[in-house]
Amino acid sequence: MNLIRSAKSGNDWTRNELAAYRIEIHREDPLIFFGVQALPQPQVDPELLTSLDATQAASDSNAELLHLLDMAMTPRSGDSAVNDFVAGLFRALGYAKRNRVARTQRALSLFIYGEFGQAQTDVCIIDRDRNDILLLVQEDKRFKEGEGVDPEAQLIAQAVAAFAFNNEQRAKADMEPLDGKIMPGITMVGTTPTFYKIPVTRALLQHVAQGTYPPEPATRVTYCQPPVPRPARRYSEGMKPLDNRRQILSCYEAFKVIVGI
C-alpha cells in the first residue's frame, strides 16, 4: 500500500508496479492453464514439423520461417529477429488471417498516475473488423542484452493499455464498455514462449490511472511454459529441435481458444 507510484511508461514497469497495483503472477500446469485434457495437434503445414532447417523445406514460406527461427535463436542487441519470427509464426498458425493482422512495435496510450504515457508492444494481433487488440507479445530482451526491465511487468502494462484501447473502440461504436476481460499475452526468450492470461478490469484501470492501491482482491495473472522434453534446456534449444517444436506448436494451438480465434 505504501509503495511509491509514478507515471512510468509501460516499458519501464517493474515488480514494484505490480506490487503497487496488487497484481500477482502464478504458474499453472499447461493442461489446467489451457483447460484441456490433452494438448491438441498443431494445425500447421506438416513440413514445419519435419524440417529441421530451411534447407529441408520445399515451401518458400516455410523456408523463410525456418530462417527466421534460426536468426531468432541468437538475437543481437537492437535486432528485431524475434519479432519478425513471431509475426511469421502467427501467419503460419492462422493467428493472423484475413481480418486479423500481426503488428510490430504498436504503441498504446497508458494513463497512469494522472499522466499519459505509452506501452509499446513488440508484436500484437489486431482484429481489423472490431479494431480490437486480441493478443500481446513481449520479448525478454535480457536474453540478448544481459539486462533490462522484467518482460512480465512490461506485458501486464501493455494488457492494461490494450484493455483501455479496446473499450475506447467499443465506445466509438456505441457499445457498452466491458467490465473486465482476460487479455492473452506471451513473453519470448528467443523462440521459447511463455503463455499468460491477464485479467484486466475497469477497476484496475482506474487504480492505475489514479495511482491508488486496490482494496479489492489481488489481480491473479496466470502463466504456463510448454512441456518440452528437456526443461533445463528450454531456452537454449527453443523451437529448433523437432520434439520441442511439436510441443510448443501444440501450446500455440491450444492458446487460440483463449485468444478467441
Side-chain angles (χ1 to χ4, degrees), residues 44-120:
V44 67
D45 189 326
E47 190 173 62
L48 290 173
L49 300 174
T50 58
S51 300
L52 187 62
D53 55 40
T55 63
Q56 299 177 0
S59 162
D60 287 344
S61 59
N62 290 341
E64 179 186 18
L65 182 60
L66 292 173
H67 273 307
L68 289 171
L69 187 155
D70 285 338
M71 287 187 281
M73 287 295 297
T74 55
R76 294 173 294 178
S77 179
D79 191 6
S80 66
V82 172
N83 296 352
D84 296 337
F85 168 71
V86 171
L89 182 62
F90 281 158
R91 287 188 284 272
L93 290 171
Y95 276 74
K97 186 176 181 180
R98 295 184 68 86
N99 60 307
R100 299 187 302 269
V101 295
R103 292 283 310 274
T104 59
Q105 302 298 305
R106 175 70 161 83
L108 300 170
S109 178
L110 178 62
F111 193 65
I112 175 170
Y113 204 49
E115 295 183 18
F116 277 104
Q118 281 192 343
Q120 182 164 295

Side-chain angles (χ1 to χ4, degrees), residues 38-44 49 246 249-250 253-254:
L39 290 175
Q41 292 298 314
Q43 300 301 304
V44 67
L49 300 174
R246 180 175 289 275
L249 290 178
S250 290
E253 193 65 37

Side-chain angles (χ1 to χ4, degrees), residues 11 13-15 25 75-78 82 122 138-154 187-190 194 196 225 235:
N11 289 24
W13 271 35
T14 67
R15 296 281 164 165
I25 303 175
R76 294 173 294 178
S77 179
V82 172
D122 282 332
Q138 174 62 45
E139 181 189 358
D140 186 345
K141 297 178 176 65
R142 298 173 300 183
F143 176 58
K144 62 185 180 184
E145 298 174 0
E147 59 182 23
V149 180
D150 186 334
E152 290 184 328
Q154 292 178 308
T187 58
M188 297 292 299
V189 177
T194 300
Y196 293 81
Q225 296 174 320
Y235 300 127

Side-chain angles (χ1 to χ4, degrees), residues 11 20 56 63 80 87 94 119 128 133 164 169 175 186 253 255:
N11 289 24
Q56 299 177 0
S80 66
R128 290 300 304 275
I133 295 173
Q169 301 313 303
M175 300 171 65
I186 298 172
E253 193 65 37
F255 203 44

Side-chain angles (χ1 to χ4, degrees), residues 2 6 9 36 40 45 54 89 96 115 118 123 129 144 149 161 170 172 188-189 198 208 215 227 260:
N2 297 319
S6 61
S9 161
V36 296
D45 189 326
L89 182 62
E115 295 183 18
Q118 281 192 343
V123 184
D129 287 346
K144 62 185 180 184
V149 180
R170 292 178 67 86
K172 290 177 182 177
M188 297 292 299
V189 177
I198 307 167
V208 171

